[in-house]
Amino acid sequence: MSTLTTAPLAPLLDDLFAQSQANSPNWSDFPREELNRLMHSKTEYRDLYERMKDLWLPVSRETAQLLYMLARSTRAKTIVEFGTSFGISTLHMAAALRDNGGGRLITTEFEPAKVARAREHLKTGGVIDLVEIREGDALTTLRTDLPDAIDLVLLDGAKALYPDVLALLESRLRPGALVVADNADYSPEYLERVRAPASGYMSVPFAEDVELSMRLG
């Protein structure tokens, strides 16, 4: 038995994944060239996510379960998430903290409506006490007041910002800390960074769209 597989969290997650499937993005609404440009832009990402503010953009159920397993197996106590959205991944990692005996999860989201919904879901799931939601651009919200040692990071916000967000957190990553980057193929700069032989990371692709990296030390 675990927090993830029992009430109130288990039925809540089933409901949230069902909602996400019913409200998934219709990428055909975006001209391919424009979508590609916005996904790779470090200056226009706010425009893209503003247009998708009502859409669910969660990690897959398998990636969410991976996050729980990684946090549990490493006995994580401090987690940082870039891109809260409606809180599905946040719920999985907070459940791991609960089952690890407690901890702190800092997550950041710049869309106010999503912050409100995520907070509601975390309350319903019974894990709000473990989570600090920072509203605003991660390049500002994650610049200060970070834990001395970070055990796990999820990058799942604007893809072009992955290298910049990693740079903000890097000095706090403990040896062996894990970094999970969803849809990392949209950030070739990030992949080049973590896969470089002298980068200080061991990094491998996982499934079709996730990069899993370990901080060496």
Side-chain angles (χ1 to χ4, degrees):
M1 303 291 286
S2 73
T3 300
L4 191 64
T5 58
T6 55
L9 196 51
L12 171 64
L13 287 170
D14 286 339
D15 179 57
L16 295 181
F17 274 116
Q19 290 186 54
S20 72
Q21 289 182 337
N23 295 277
S24 59
N26 183 3
W27 297 115
S28 63
D29 291 343
F30 295 86
R32 179 175 296 181
E33 290 185 5
E34 181 183 11
L35 177 62
N36 187 61
R37 177 177 59 80
L38 291 173
M39 289 291 282
H40 289 85
S41 175
K42 291 191 177 186
T43 59
E44 298 179 90
Y45 59 90
R46 293 295 294 262
D47 178 52
L48 174 64
Y49 285 91
E50 171 66 22
R51 292 164 65 180
M52 297 192 297
K53 65 181 180 180
D54 297 321
L55 298 177
W56 292 65
L57 303 168
V59 297
S60 68
R61 188 180 286 269
E62 292 75 19
T63 300
Q65 292 175 342
L66 172 69
L67 290 167
Y68 175 86
M69 293 167 63
L70 291 175
R72 285 300 312 278
S73 64
T74 58
R75 296 183 174 87
K77 291 295 183 182
T78 54
I79 300 174
V80 176
E81 177 183 38
F82 166 44
T84 316
S85 192
F86 290 105
I88 288 180
S89 52
T90 320
L91 287 163
H92 282 79
M93 294 185 291
L97 288 181
R98 176 74 76 217
D99 294 337
N100 284 346
R104 180 187 184 194
L105 194 166
I106 297 170
T107 184
T108 184
E109 169 66 46
F110 58 65
E111 183 55 52
K114 287 189 172 183
V115 170
R117 289 286 298 279
R119 185 172 284 112
E120 176 185 333
H121 296 153
L122 291 163
K123 289 179 180 177
T124 302
V127 292
I128 188 65
D129 59 303
L130 298 167
V131 180
E132 175 190 349
I133 305 178
R134 299 184 180 182
E135 184 177 332
D137 193 308
L139 297 183
T140 300
T141 62
L142 296 181
R143 191 168 293 279
T144 59
D145 191 23
L146 294 172
D148 291 334
I150 298 172
D151 301 311
L152 175 65
V153 172
L154 171 62
L155 301 176
D156 194 25
K159 315 310 172 189
L161 298 187
Y162 283 7
D164 303 270
V165 173
L166 180 65
L168 292 177
L169 306 176
E170 196 164 57
S171 66
R172 306 298 182 99
L173 298 178
R174 68 165 179 79
L178 299 174
V179 182
V180 179
D182 198 37
N183 306 122
D185 52 321
Y186 281 107
S187 184
E189 180 186 348
Y190 174 81
L191 292 178
E192 182 179 0
R193 167 76 178 89
V194 296
R195 291 177 179 177
S199 67
Y201 295 91
M202 179 178 291
S203 193
V204 295
F206 177 84
E208 295 181 357
D209 58 357
V210 175
E211 186 80 5
L212 176 60
S213 308
M214 183 180 70
R215 182 64 169 163
L216 302 174

